[in-house]
Amino acid sequence: MDPMPEERETRAAEPLTQWVQRIAHAVRAFDRRHPLPWDLTFTGFWVTAALIDYVGGGWENVARNKDVPASLLLTMTLGLSLPLLWRRTHPRAVLCAIAPMAVANAWSGAVLQAALLQLVVVYHIALRRPLRSLWWTTILVITPEFVTVARHSKRSWDEQVVPLLLSIALCAAIGITVRTRRDYTEALEDRARRLETERDQQAQLAAAAERARIAREMHDIIGHNLSVITGLADGGRYAAAKSPDRAAQALDAIATTSRQALTELRRLLDVLREEDRPAADLTPQPALTDLDQLIDGVRKAGLPVSTTIHGTPAITPGRQLTVYRVIQEALTNTLKHAGPGATSQIEMSYDDGAVTVTVTDTGRGGDTDGTGGRGLPGMRERTALYSGTLEAGPLPEGGWRVRLHLPEETPQ
């Protein structure tokens, strides 16, 4: 039965298990950085063991022929063990180097136990080389056993060959298992790296989108309010000589508009602070209820504006912000480019969830393609967010028109 998640977490959190994992990880990391010390230690151990078997005469306990020359015994002992130093980097070459010694060992009847070190090379071939190499590896390792059976053994071949075959299969299985686990771990690590890269890319894209949004908001806030302030200042300058009261009213309106612009800028720039607060609470989000205040400010700046509304608004706050910003940008452009004596008219039509807004003026117009600033491109970007359309251009009879249409929002 599969343990519950709580049991798995508890088991993984055992101090002994964590200690063993840390030690194993440190050993593997050291081995990857410095493979030679471990290779020398491993090879030195088996060379020493083989030499002890040779010097102590232990090989005679299993030998088929005890009259093998000492020089041949020493050569076979070193030939079967010393090549293990290169078992990880060149396992097939090592096996080919050991094979003649194994055949000589079988032919002479010495039957040195060092011949079993071929199984270590089999493991490394299964771990590091294509699995098809195991066919000729098995043939190369088992051939000396047939030589021993043919020359020195009175027992049937299966009594000696089958155990060796099982040993080869076991070593190959261990190598394949370790290889599979290693490949799986590498795949997980690669996936983690790719996910981390994708996360960083998403963060960069989000930051770029946020910068673009903040740039649009700052353009809308600064451009509109400065245009209103400029209009009020011009009107106050003309009225100062003839009507000081009107000039004082213009100065009051300039102060009010400036404070409003500063407040919106502070709220917008607060989004950039690293505080544990929702960004939505810090971002200015005008709605349709703020249109009257917007239009009053434009009128105080000297631009007569008339409004016509058909239907009842029933749109989401995000779409209301788009409508507000488009009207704000259209009126700002009129203040900038329409010239003296211009008027503006706003017509808004609501049909269920759809909305159509038309802003026209009687001025001389401005940039016809919207490439002179961020105003028209910003309006088009906002409109595209809600699958809407935006048309802006001069009228045949003179003046300028901006037409926004947002279709009914499709339920998700």
Side-chain angles (χ1 to χ4, degrees):
M1 181 180 295
D2 185 43
M4 299 297 290
E6 296 81 0
E7 296 178 1
R8 289 197 297 266
E9 292 176 1
T10 303
R11 190 179 307 166
E14 287 290 338
L16 179 60
T17 302
Q18 292 182 352
W19 182 80
V20 171
Q21 290 176 348
R22 285 196 299 269
I23 294 298
H25 179 74
V27 170
R28 287 195 297 268
F30 178 83
D31 184 46
R32 284 193 296 268
R33 293 192 302 268
H34 310 285
L36 186 58
W38 169 247
D39 288 341
L40 289 174
T41 302
F42 183 86
T43 304
F45 173 82
W46 288 113
V47 169
T48 302
L51 288 175
I52 290 175
D53 185 53
Y54 159 69
V55 174
W59 63 277
E60 296 179 354
N61 295 327
V62 294
R64 301 295 192 273
N65 178 18
K66 299 181 181 180
D67 298 327
V68 181
S71 58
L72 178 59
L73 283 174
L74 180 60
T75 302
M76 290 189 298
T77 297
L78 295 178
L80 290 170
S81 58
L82 196 58
L84 290 180
L85 182 62
W86 299 277
R87 74 197 183 283
R88 290 202 286 188
T89 54
H90 305 87
R92 290 180 293 191
V94 169
L95 187 64
C96 291
I98 291 177
M101 297 297 169
V103 172
N105 178 48
W107 185 269
S108 65
V111 194
L112 295 176
Q113 298 301 300
L116 294 177
L117 294 176
Q118 293 178 100
L119 298 177
V120 176
V121 186
V122 171
Y123 163 80
H124 282 280
I125 290 177
L127 178 65
R128 306 174 190 279
R129 293 295 180 259
L131 296 182
R132 60 177 178 272
S133 301
L134 291 174
W135 293 107
W136 65 264
T137 297
T138 302
I139 295 174
L140 203 60
V141 172
I142 208 168
T143 297
E145 196 66 25
F146 282 107
V147 174
T148 300
V149 172
R151 280 183 57 83
H152 304 287
S153 179
K154 297 179 180 180
R155 294 181 297 175
S156 62
W157 67 271
D158 57 322
E159 293 182 9
Q160 292 190 216
V161 173
V162 172
L164 182 59
L165 281 174
L166 293 176
S167 300
I168 294 173
L170 178 61
C171 293
I174 295 174
I176 293 172
T177 301
V178 175
R179 177 179 188 165
T180 302
R181 182 175 179 82
R182 182 193 63 187
D183 293 343
Y184 177 71
T185 303
E186 290 177 354
L188 289 180
E189 292 175 351
D190 179 67
R191 182 172 181 270
R193 285 192 296 268
R194 286 189 286 105
L195 288 176
E196 185 176 355
T197 302
E198 292 176 4
R199 181 197 63 191
D200 294 340
Q201 292 175 346
Q202 291 294 333
Q204 293 174 1
L205 292 174
E210 183 67 10
R211 286 194 296 269
R213 185 189 67 80
I214 291 174
R216 287 197 304 267
E217 295 288 346
M218 293 186 69
H219 171 271
D220 293 338
I221 294 171
I222 296 174
H224 170 74
N225 288 288
L226 286 181
S227 297
V228 171
I229 291 172
T230 301
L232 289 170
D234 289 340
R237 181 165 56 85
Y238 289 126
K242 298 180 181 180
S243 178
D245 294 339
R246 295 292 300 275
Q249 292 177 1
L251 291 175
D252 291 339
I254 289 175
T256 302
T257 304
S258 300
R259 292 190 187 96
Q260 179 182 356
L262 286 174
T263 300
E264 291 188 4
L265 282 175
R266 288 194 188 99
R267 293 174 63 195
L268 179 62
L269 295 178
D270 279 345
V271 179
L272 301 178
R273 296 179 181 173
E274 294 184 357
E275 297 176 357
D276 190 16
R277 290 184 293 173
D281 295 337
L282 301 173
T283 308
Q285 298 289 338
L288 295 179
T289 55
D290 300 309
L291 279 177
D292 291 339
Q293 182 180 357
L294 172 69
I295 294 171
D296 288 342
V298 173
R299 287 171 179 161
K300 290 179 181 179
L303 176 64
V305 181
S306 60
T307 59
T308 305
I309 300 177
H310 304 285
T312 303
I315 56 177
T316 59
R319 294 156 73 88
Q320 291 186 37
L321 176 62
T322 299
V323 172
Y324 179 92
R325 291 304 189 194
V326 169
I327 294 176
Q328 183 185 50
E329 181 63 30
L331 294 177
T332 301
N333 289 338
T334 300
L335 284 171
K336 289 180 180 178
H337 308 296
T343 62
S344 181
Q345 180 178 357
I346 302 173
E347 183 177 353
M348 306 175 65
S349 177
Y350 300 100
D351 183 12
D352 292 333
V355 59
T356 302
V357 179
T358 304
V359 183
T360 58
D361 63 58
T362 59
R364 59 173 178 263
D367 185 15
T368 59
D369 58 3
T371 58
R374 296 187 59 89
L376 289 178
M379 286 194 289
R380 291 193 174 98
E381 290 176 7
R382 291 182 183 278
T383 304
L385 290 176
Y386 298 98
S387 304
T389 57
L390 181 76
E391 301 173 2
L395 295 171
E397 63 274 13
W400 189 269
R401 181 183 69 179
V402 175
R403 184 178 184 277
L404 166 71
H405 175 72
L406 298 180
E408 183 176 355
E409 193 167 12
T410 303
Q412 298 297 323

